Amino acid sequence: MLRTVTSLSLSGSAKGSLTRSPAALTTTRKISRSHPAFQGKAQISTASLSEDELKSLQVDRNRLMNDIHHTCQWGTGKRWGSQTTETGMSRLALSDTDKQARDWFVQTTKSLGCSVTVDAMGNTFAIRPGRHEAPPTCAGSHLDTQPTGGRYDGILGIHAGIEMLKVLQDHNLETEYPVGVVNWTNEEGARFPISMVASGVWAEEISLERAHNLGEVGGGTATMKSELERIGYLGSVPASHRSMPIAAHFELHIEQGPILEAEKQKIGVVQGVQAYKWFTIDVAGRDAHTGTTPFSARADAMLTAARLIAHSHRVAAKHSALASTGVLTLSPGSVNTIPGNVRFSLDIRSPVDATVEAVEAQLRKDFAAIASGGNADDPSFPQTSKHKLAVDWTTDTTSAAVNFHPDCIAAVRAAAGSVLGDEGLVRDMVSGAGHDSVYASRRCPTSMIFVPCRNGVSHNPEEHTSPEDCAIGAEVLMHSVLRYDQLRAQRERR
Amino acid sequence: MLRTVTSLSLSGSAKGSLTRSPAALTTTRKISRSHPAFQGKAQISTASLSEDELKSLQVDRNRLMNDIHHTCQWGTGKRWGSQTTETGMSRLALSDTDKQARDWFVQTTKSLGCSVTVDAMGNTFAIRPGRHEAPPTCAGSHLDTQPTGGRYDGILGIHAGIEMLKVLQDHNLETEYPVGVVNWTNEEGARFPISMVASGVWAEEISLERAHNLGEVGGGTATMKSELERIGYLGSVPASHRSMPIAAHFELHIEQGPILEAEKQKIGVVQGVQAYKWFTIDVAGRDAHTGTTPFSARADAMLTAARLIAHSHRVAAKHSALASTGVLTLSPGSVNTIPGNVRFSLDIRSPVDATVEAVEAQLRKDFAAIASGGNADDPSFPQTSKHKLAVDWTTDTTSAAVNFHPDCIAAVRAAAGSVLGDEGLVRDMVSGAGHDSVYASRRCPTSMIFVPCRNGVSHNPEEHTSPEDCAIGAEVLMHSVLRYDQLRAQRERR
C-alpha cells in the first residue's frame, strides 16, 4: 500500500510557512543519504554516530504529509476548505475506518522490518529490533479521532513514528535497543467513554473487564470487546506493561493551545501534565417574579452563580492557576422569573497539585460566604439581600499532576536544540490536556513534544498544523528516540 | 347555582390568621344588616350614606371564599395539600372550563340584577344600574389562569366584584351611577401569547384582527376567534372603550411579591406599574480548551457574561432599579471547553421610565468596556486577557411606566383606611407585573388594590392568600367603588 502514497495530492504540504525559519528548514528537505557517515556502510549503530552525524538525520516532509493525508481517506470528516486535504476527520475508535487505518499501520510497519503485537485492548506495538534484546524505546499516540476532529491530534504522533522507522531504514541504521511505534486504542474516549482507556489498562490503572464492557455512546449495543473482536483487533497478548514492557515513551502531539503560535515558537518540551479537578456546583435560591420581588426579598441563584464564576477567575488568577466554567443550566428559565436553581461546572487546573487544592479551598470558603449574603468577592458589591442561598459542591473528577521523566525531557530538549539550532524557538511547557503519555509515564520514563496548531484549535475539523511544523516535530521525535537510545547504551557501558 | 355554594367545604377559610389584626376583622364577619341606616328602607343611595354608614358595609368572608372555591371546580389543577381547596388551577382562556366559569359569572351577575354584555373579544361586562345613566364604575380582573396557576391571581378580583354586587343587593343599596364587574379575556397570555390582549383591544392599543388571529401555544390549530365562537363568547358588541365606556376601573389583585407579607401589612395602594425593558444580550468570544488555553489567550464568553450579570445588579442597585437574568444559554456546553458564545436575558425595571433608560445607558457603556478587557465592574478584577469579546444587545420589549389616576388612588387609600382603621397596615406600592388595569388606565381613571400572598408566590399551584386577606381586599375594593361613586355624585352637584 505504500506504493500508492506518492500519487496522492499534496496541496496541503506547500501551504505552511515559518515565521522564524530555522535555517535547516527553509527549503523542502531531502533525506541526507549523501552524508559521508552513511556512504556504503551495511549497518550503522546509533551509538557509533557522532553528534554531527546524528544532527544530519532528517525526516522527509513530503513523505510524512503524504502518509498522513493518505490514511485520512479512512474516516474523512467535514470539509472546511477547498483543497483536497482541507477536511476534518471522524474516525471513531474500532469503527470500520479505524480498522482500515490500523491495517495500514500494521502492513506499513511490518514492511519496515517491525514485528507487530496486538494486545487485548487492541493496542498495537510495532517493534523494530535493535542490536540488543530489551524493551523498546517507543513513539506512541493514537489513530482514533473525535467525531468532529481533525487530521493531526494523535494521527501526527503515529505518522511521525512511522517516518522515524522509514528514516532508519533509509540509512540502514541499527539502534542499540529496539525502537517502536505504539497505536493506543480509543484515546479520545469519544466512542467508548473513558479517555486513554487502553493505555490505562496497559498501565494497570484501569481493569481489563471494565474497559472491555464499556458500551458505545449514543445508544448502540456494541462494547469495546465486541468491537475489538468484530474488527479483528482483540489480541491474545495481555494488555499490560508486564507483557509488553516499554523502556521509554515519547509522544509528538499538537499543542491544542495557543502558546507556541502566539510566542512564535516551534517546539514545546513537555514537562508533565497539569493537575485538575472537575466539580459540579449547585446554587439553590428561590424562584420569584422579576417585577414584583425587590432585591431585598430575592434569593437569586443566577446572580449568585455569576458572582461565583467571576470570583473563581479572581482566585485562580491570584494562584496562577486556571478556573473555567463550560456548562451552566438554570431553572425555571423564563425572562421574568428569577432562577431558583443554577448548576454549573467548575474546572480548576494547575501544574501543581497543591495549587489546585489551594484554589479549591479558597473557593469553597468564599462561595459559602458570598451565597450567605457576604461580599468576599468584591467589598464594594452591594449587599442587597440577607437571604442565604445554598451552594453544594460535587467532585466529579480528580486528576493529579504528572511529572515526566528528566531523562526523556533532556532527550527532547537536546533534540529540539539540534533540530532547530535556536533555543528561542523552544520552550518548556506543561500539557493542559490528558494523553496516553500520562498512563505510559506511570510505567516507564516518558515525555512529550508539542508543535503549534493554528489558533490553538483542536477537536475541530479545522485543526491544522503546517507541514513544516509537522516535519520539525517528527524530526525532534526521531532525534529524541535516538538520543534516548544512545543514553541507554552509555549507561549500559558504565 | 348560587344555592349550591354553601354546601362546599370551606376548610381553607378557617386557616389564615392576621399577624396584626385590625379590630374589625378579628372575628368572622357578618353582614351588618342590623345597622340603623338599612332598617326598613326600600332603596338607599350611596350618596346619601354617611361616612359612618359607609364604614359599616362589610363583605361576607365565608360567602366570598365559598364562591371562589366553587368556581375553582372548573379547571382544578395540581394538588399541593390535603385539604379540599388545596389545589392549584389550570384554566386556560377560552377552554371548556373557562366557558363553565364564564357561564357561572353571567348567570350569577344577572341574578344580582346586572345586564351582561359580551364584546368581540369575549370581555364580559356585568353592569348594575345606578340612579343615573352613565358609564359604570367597574371592578375588573380575569378568570383565566396559568397552566400551573393558583386560585387567586385574577379570580379573587372577579369574585370580590361579585361579592360587592351581593352586598349592594343585601342592603338594597342603589349607587348614583352604574357599577359593574368586568371579566377580561386571556389576561395571562398563557394560551394565546399576548398578555392582557383583550383589555388591550378594548383600549384600542391592539388591533382586533391581530388578537382574533392569535394561535394557541403548543401547536394547536385554534385561534382566539375560533375559540370565542366555539364556546359562545364571540359577542356582537365591538371590543372598544367607545362601545363599552367605563367611568373608572378598580382591580383587586394578589401582590405576587413578598413586600406586604414581609412588612406585615394588609393593603397596597397601587400607584402605577413599573416601566420595564427586556433585552437579549449575546456575548461572543471563542471556544477553547480549558486545560490548554492560558487566561491570556482566552475570550471566555461565560466569564464575561458572569461579570456582566453581576454588574447589572451593581448598577441597578445604585439607581434603586431592578435588573434580573432569568434565561442563560451557552455553547458548545462541555466541561472542558471554554464557551465561545453565551446568550442571556436582561430585565430592567423601575417605576420611572428615565431610570430604566439611565440603567440601560450605563450598562451599554460598561458592558462594552468589560468585554473589551477593562474592569469597569470592579477596579480590582484581574485583567488577564486583552482579547476583546463582542456584546450585542437586542431590545425585545419596552413597556413604559403607568401612573394610575389620583382620584382612584385616593379612593383606594380612603377605603383602606376606613376598612383597616390603621394606617400602618397600608402602603403605597408600584406593581411590578402587568395587569388589565394597565390598558384600562389608558381610557379611564384606574387604580389597583394589592393584598398579601404567601411567600410572594404566584403562577404556582401553591399561590395562597388567606380568607381574612381576601375579605379585607374585597371590602377595600367595594369601598373604593362606592367612594368613587360618591365622588362622581359630588362633582355632578358642583
Side-chain angles (χ1 to χ4, degrees):
Chain A
M1 295 188 78
L2 253 179
R3 297 290 167 250
T4 67
V5 171
T6 50
S7 65
L8 273 183
S9 161
L10 273 175
S11 53
S13 67
K15 293 187 71 196
S17 70
L18 287 168
T19 311
R20 295 165 65 186
S21 304
L25 291 163
T26 46
T27 56
T28 300
R29 313 187 72 199
K30 287 177 185 150
I31 304 166
S32 57
R33 295 185 210 190
S34 57
H35 192 280
F38 307 119
Q39 301 288 346
K41 291 191 185 172
Q43 188 88 334
I44 309 162
S45 80
T46 45
S48 68
L49 288 179
S50 69
E51 179 67 18
D52 194 45
E53 289 165 343
L54 184 62
K55 275 188 182 176
S56 74
L57 282 178
Q58 298 179 349
V59 301
D60 183 333
R61 188 183 81 186
N62 285 349
R63 182 170 63 183
L64 171 67
M65 299 314 295
N66 259 340
D67 276 5
I68 288 175
H69 296 309
H70 176 69
T71 63
C72 286
Q73 72 183 283
W74 301 305
T76 303
K78 190 181 162 190
R79 177 160 295 285
W80 57 267
S82 58
Q83 300 296 319
T84 312
T85 61
E86 289 177 348
T87 75
M89 286 297 290
S90 181
R91 189 162 67 204
L92 293 174
L94 311 183
S95 62
D96 290 349
T97 53
D98 188 31
K99 173 186 163 54
Q100 290 173 297
R102 284 166 174 268
D103 289 350
W104 178 91
F105 175 85
V106 171
Q107 290 163 25
T108 303
T109 54
K110 279 184 175 170
S111 78
L112 292 166
C114 293
S115 64
V116 174
T117 305
V118 179
D119 74 13
M121 284 300 295
N123 295 322
T124 307
F125 304 79
I127 312 296
R128 183 178 190 269
R131 295 181 64 203
H132 309 287
E133 280 208 9
T137 301
C138 285
S141 202
H142 59 96
L143 285 168
D144 71 315
T145 78
Q146 289 281 326
T148 56
R151 292 178 169 232
Y152 303 90
D153 176 351
I155 297 171
L156 173 61
I158 295 288
H159 280 282
I162 291 171
E163 175 61 22
M164 168 183 78
L165 298 176
K166 291 184 176 178
V167 174
L168 294 177
Q169 189 181 56
D170 290 339
H171 294 77
N172 206 19
L173 258 172
E174 189 178 32
T175 51
E176 294 298 311
Y177 300 94
V179 298
V181 184
V182 189
N183 176 34
W184 301 103
T185 300
N186 191 54
E187 191 269 354
E188 295 290 359
R191 185 174 184 202
F192 301 101
I194 298 182
S195 299
M196 310 169 279
V197 64
S199 53
V201 173
W202 175 88
E204 296 186 1
E205 304 260 342
I206 298 171
S207 80
L208 180 70
E209 189 188 355
R210 182 177 173 214
H212 269 182
N213 290 331
L214 273 179
E216 64 183 340
V217 299
T221 57
T223 63
M224 281 207 84
K225 188 178 184 191
S226 74
E227 284 295 275
L228 283 165
E229 274 178 330
R230 186 183 69 81
I231 68 165
Y233 277 84
L234 180 64
S236 55
V237 173
S240 165
H241 65 98
R242 297 172 208 271
S243 303
M244 284 302 298
I246 296 177
H249 187 266
F250 291 90
E251 185 169 7
L252 169 64
H253 207 279
I254 60 172
E255 178 195 342
Q256 300 183 273
I259 299 172
L260 289 170
E261 186 181 62
E263 301 295 330
K264 298 185 171 40
Q265 292 176 306
K266 289 298 168 188
I267 290 290
V269 180
V270 184
Q271 311 294 302
V273 182
Q274 279 187 328
Y276 66 89
K277 288 181 91 167
W278 287 359
F279 304 95
T280 298
I281 312 287
D282 281 291
V283 183
R286 200 177 53 218
D287 300 351
H289 193 295
T290 60
T292 61
T293 315
F295 282 167
S296 61
R298 295 187 180 196
D300 184 338
M302 185 62 235
L303 172 63
T304 301
R307 292 173 61 189
L308 303 186
I309 291 166
H311 192 58
S312 72
H313 188 82
R314 271 192 201 90
V315 172
K318 206 175 77 181
H319 287 81
S320 300
L322 297 176
S324 316
T325 292
V327 175
L328 185 147
T329 55
L330 55 76
S331 74
S334 168
V335 173
N336 60 348
T337 304
I338 298 153
N341 292 86
V342 175
R343 166 174 289 190
F344 64 89
S345 64
L346 180 64
D347 170 327
I348 304 175
R349 303 197 188 220
S350 163
V352 181
D353 290 322
T355 304
V356 171
E357 298 298 327
V359 171
E360 178 190 348
Q362 182 74 49
L363 290 180
R364 281 184 183 266
K365 185 166 152 258
D366 292 350
F367 280 13
I370 293 165
S372 297
N375 49 17
D377 49 342
D378 169 10
S380 73
F381 199 87
Q383 291 178 284
T384 50
S385 172
K386 291 199 171 103
H387 286 278
K388 293 187 195 320
L389 292 88
V391 177
D392 187 58
W393 292 61
T394 306
T395 304
D396 299 315
T397 306
T398 301
S399 181
V402 174
N403 297 303
F404 287 150
H405 197 282
D407 290 345
C408 293
I409 293 170
V412 172
R413 190 177 287 123
S418 75
V419 168
L420 290 163
D422 179 352
E423 289 290 325
L425 297 173
V426 182
R427 73 183 291 126
D428 287 353
M429 299 186 77
V430 173
S431 174
H435 298 284
D436 288 312
S437 287
V438 170
Y439 283 120
S441 72
R442 305 273 163 87
R443 301 300 174 186
C444 67
T446 296
S447 184
M448 294 184 71
I449 300 150
F450 277 174
V451 287
C453 58
R454 190 171 56 197
N455 299 324
V457 169
S458 69
H459 290 194
N460 187 297
E462 295 194 40
E463 174 182 294
H464 186 74
T465 293
S466 72
E468 287 80 357
D469 289 343
C470 289
I472 293 169
E475 203 154 292
V476 173
L477 176 73
M478 176 177 71
H479 282 261
S480 300
V481 170
L482 297 181
R483 283 176 187 274
Y484 195 85
D485 185 60
Q486 287 181 328
L487 177 73
R488 291 175 78 183
Q490 284 162 22
R491 290 194 173 156
E492 187 64 27
R493 281 197 296 272
R494 266 181 276 160
Chain B
M1 296 188 77
L2 253 181
R3 296 290 166 249
T4 68
V5 171
T6 49
S7 67
L8 273 184
S9 161
L10 273 174
S11 55
S13 67
K15 293 187 71 195
S17 69
L18 287 168
T19 311
R20 294 165 65 187
S21 305
L25 291 164
T26 47
T27 57
T28 301
R29 312 187 70 197
K30 287 178 184 150
I31 304 166
S32 58
R33 294 186 211 188
S34 57
H35 191 280
F38 307 118
Q39 301 288 346
K41 288 192 187 170
Q43 188 88 333
I44 309 163
S45 79
T46 46
S48 69
L49 289 179
S50 69
E51 179 68 16
D52 194 46
E53 288 164 345
L54 183 64
K55 275 188 182 175
S56 75
L57 281 178
Q58 298 178 350
V59 301
D60 183 333
R61 188 183 81 187
N62 285 349
R63 182 170 64 183
L64 171 66
M65 299 314 296
N66 260 339
D67 276 5
I68 287 175
H69 296 310
H70 176 69
T71 63
C72 286
Q73 73 182 283
W74 301 303
T76 303
K78 190 181 164 191
R79 177 160 295 284
W80 56 267
S82 58
Q83 300 295 320
T84 312
T85 60
E86 289 176 349
T87 76
M89 287 296 292
S90 182
R91 189 161 66 203
L92 292 174
L94 310 185
S95 62
D96 290 347
T97 53
D98 188 31
K99 173 186 163 53
Q100 290 173 295
R102 285 167 173 268
D103 289 348
W104 179 89
F105 175 85
V106 171
Q107 289 163 29
T108 303
T109 54
K110 279 185 176 170
S111 78
L112 292 165
C114 293
S115 65
V116 175
T117 303
V118 179
D119 74 13
M121 283 301 292
N123 295 322
T124 306
F125 303 80
I127 312 295
R128 183 178 190 269
R131 294 180 66 203
H132 308 288
E133 280 209 7
T137 300
C138 284
S141 201
H142 58 95
L143 284 169
D144 72 315
T145 77
Q146 290 281 326
T148 56
R151 292 178 169 232
Y152 302 91
D153 177 349
I155 297 172
L156 173 62
I158 294 290
H159 280 283
I162 291 172
E163 176 60 23
M164 169 184 76
L165 298 175
K166 290 185 177 179
V167 173
L168 293 177
Q169 189 183 53
D170 290 339
H171 294 77
N172 206 18
L173 259 171
E174 189 178 32
T175 50
E176 293 298 311
Y177 299 93
V179 297
V181 185
V182 189
N183 176 33
W184 301 103
T185 299
N186 192 55
E187 191 271 353
E188 295 289 1
R191 185 174 183 201
F192 301 101
I194 298 181
S195 299
M196 310 169 280
V197 64
S199 52
V201 174
W202 175 86
E204 296 186 1
E205 304 259 342
I206 298 171
S207 79
L208 180 71
E209 189 188 356
R210 182 176 173 215
H212 269 181
N213 290 330
L214 274 179
E216 64 183 340
V217 300
T221 56
T223 63
M224 281 207 85
K225 188 177 184 190
S226 74
E227 284 296 275
L228 284 165
E229 271 178 329
R230 186 183 69 82
I231 68 165
Y233 278 83
L234 181 63
S236 55
V237 174
S240 165
H241 65 97
R242 298 173 208 272
S243 304
M244 284 301 298
I246 296 177
H249 187 266
F250 291 90
E251 184 170 6
L252 169 65
H253 207 279
I254 60 171
E255 179 195 338
Q256 300 184 273
I259 299 173
L260 289 170
E261 185 180 63
E263 301 295 330
K264 299 185 172 37
Q265 292 175 305
K266 289 297 167 189
I267 290 290
V269 181
V270 185
Q271 312 294 301
V273 181
Q274 280 185 330
Y276 65 90
K277 288 182 91 167
W278 288 0
F279 305 95
T280 298
I281 312 287
D282 282 292
V283 183
R286 200 177 54 219
D287 299 351
H289 193 294
T290 60
T292 61
T293 316
F295 282 168
S296 61
R298 296 188 179 194
D300 183 339
M302 185 62 236
L303 172 64
T304 300
R307 292 173 62 189
L308 303 186
I309 291 166
H311 193 57
S312 73
H313 188 82
R314 273 193 200 88
V315 172
K318 207 176 76 182
H319 286 82
S320 301
L322 298 176
S324 317
T325 291
V327 176
L328 186 147
T329 55
L330 55 78
S331 73
S334 169
V335 172
N336 60 348
T337 304
I338 297 153
N341 292 85
V342 175
R343 165 174 289 191
F344 64 89
S345 64
L346 180 64
D347 170 328
I348 304 175
R349 305 199 186 215
S350 162
V352 182
D353 290 323
T355 304
V356 171
E357 298 298 328
V359 171
E360 178 189 349
Q362 182 75 48
L363 290 180
R364 281 185 183 266
K365 185 166 152 257
D366 292 351
F367 280 14
I370 293 165
S372 297
N375 49 17
D377 48 343
D378 168 10
S380 73
F381 199 88
Q383 289 177 286
T384 49
S385 172
K386 289 199 173 106
H387 286 278
K388 293 187 195 318
L389 291 87
V391 177
D392 187 58
W393 292 61
T394 306
T395 304
D396 299 314
T397 306
T398 301
S399 180
V402 173
N403 296 304
F404 287 149
H405 197 282
D407 290 344
C408 293
I409 292 170
V412 172
R413 190 177 287 122
S418 74
V419 167
L420 291 163
D422 180 352
E423 289 289 327
L425 297 173
V426 182
R427 72 182 292 125
D428 287 353
M429 299 186 78
V430 173
S431 174
H435 298 284
D436 288 311
S437 286
V438 169
Y439 283 120
S441 73
R442 305 273 163 85
R443 300 302 173 185
C444 66
T446 296
S447 184
M448 292 183 73
I449 301 150
F450 277 174
V451 287
C453 58
R454 189 169 58 197
N455 298 325
V457 169
S458 68
H459 290 195
N460 187 297
E462 295 194 40
E463 174 183 292
H464 186 74
T465 293
S466 72
E468 287 80 358
D469 289 343
C470 289
I472 293 169
E475 204 154 290
V476 172
L477 176 72
M478 176 176 73
H479 282 261
S480 300
V481 170
L482 296 181
R483 284 175 188 275
Y484 195 84
D485 184 61
Q486 289 180 329
L487 177 72
R488 291 175 77 182
Q490 285 163 24
R491 289 195 173 154
E492 186 65 25
R493 280 196 296 273
R494 266 181 276 163

